Amino acid sequence: MTPTPRWVPIYDAAARPSSWNERMAAGEYAVHFSQSVGDLDSRSCAILPSLADAESFAHEQVELHPALLSRIFDHHGFVGAPALEVAGKAYKGHNDITPRFRRWVGSLLFFTGSILFVTDWVADFRFDWPSVLGSRLMIPGLILLVTEALVMLHNRRKLAGLGAGNAVAAKR
């Protein structure tokens, strides 16, 4: 059974020290929530005495509220990645730039910029504005497309590594 957490506001100007992580002891862990749901308040965090207790508490809350994301941090605070993230089944991620956005907008910017640049090139750079505008559109488009290609390559290598690991485990 998970011990009862100690609830601490993320920032309390009246308290000394005012930051949540400065009010924790070494070895304690804080569970932060993505949104306020029911009796959970996203403006405060639950402090628990160990990582196992924090993990158990986070899983319990995510089971009660499937649209929730719980992040667990140690006494160092938001420095670095969280110790653990627990997402509910109904949690919708908050990625601002999706792969679909990178592909469509990147392609649109890159090819529109290319057409403008080539149009001015064919006209022997008589107009100037198409090449200037085209070069400004091509660069962010190229960045989005290269980013998407690298993400896809990384995911394929990751999946290939997992597949190879499963094949080695199956041989044993």
Side-chain angles (χ1 to χ4, degrees):
M1 181 160 157
T2 306
T4 304
R6 176 172 49 108
W7 290 92
V8 175
I10 291 176
Y11 179 76
D12 186 1
R16 291 289 175 248
S18 56
S19 181
W20 63 273
N21 65 312
E22 294 172 347
R23 288 182 263 158
M24 291 173 59
E28 287 185 321
Y29 288 84
V31 182
H32 292 264
F33 300 102
S34 60
Q35 58 187 335
S36 297
V37 179
D39 58 343
L40 299 177
D41 186 4
S42 64
R43 296 173 296 172
S44 55
C45 59
I47 310 292
L48 290 129
S50 70
L51 181 58
D53 292 336
E55 186 176 347
S56 173
F57 181 74
H59 282 288
E60 287 173 11
Q61 296 307 314
V62 166
E63 284 178 23
L64 290 172
H65 310 286
L68 196 64
L69 171 71
S70 300
R71 289 190 174 121
I72 301 173
F73 292 92
D74 63 5
H75 67 280
H76 294 294
F78 293 132
V79 176
L84 181 70
E85 282 189 349
V86 180
K89 292 179 182 175
Y91 175 72
K92 292 186 175 131
H94 53 282
N95 288 340
D96 295 337
I97 300 181
T98 63
R100 182 178 177 181
F101 177 87
R102 283 192 297 262
R103 283 185 219 125
W104 280 99
V105 174
S107 298
L108 182 71
L109 289 172
F110 182 75
F111 290 114
T112 302
S114 299
I115 290 169
L116 286 170
F117 192 82
V118 168
T119 301
D120 204 26
W121 186 9
V122 169
D124 205 21
F125 296 105
R126 220 175 340 156
F127 304 114
D128 282 340
W129 70 265
S131 60
V132 170
L133 185 60
S135 65
R136 299 311 186 271
L137 292 175
M138 285 171 53
I139 293 170
L142 185 63
I143 289 170
L144 287 171
L145 290 173
V146 167
T147 301
E148 180 60 20
L150 291 173
V151 168
M152 286 176 56
L153 180 65
H154 174 72
N155 288 341
R156 283 188 184 163
R157 284 188 177 178
K158 192 173 174 182
L159 286 174
L162 290 175
N166 291 340
V168 170
K171 287 182 182 177
R172 291 183 185 173

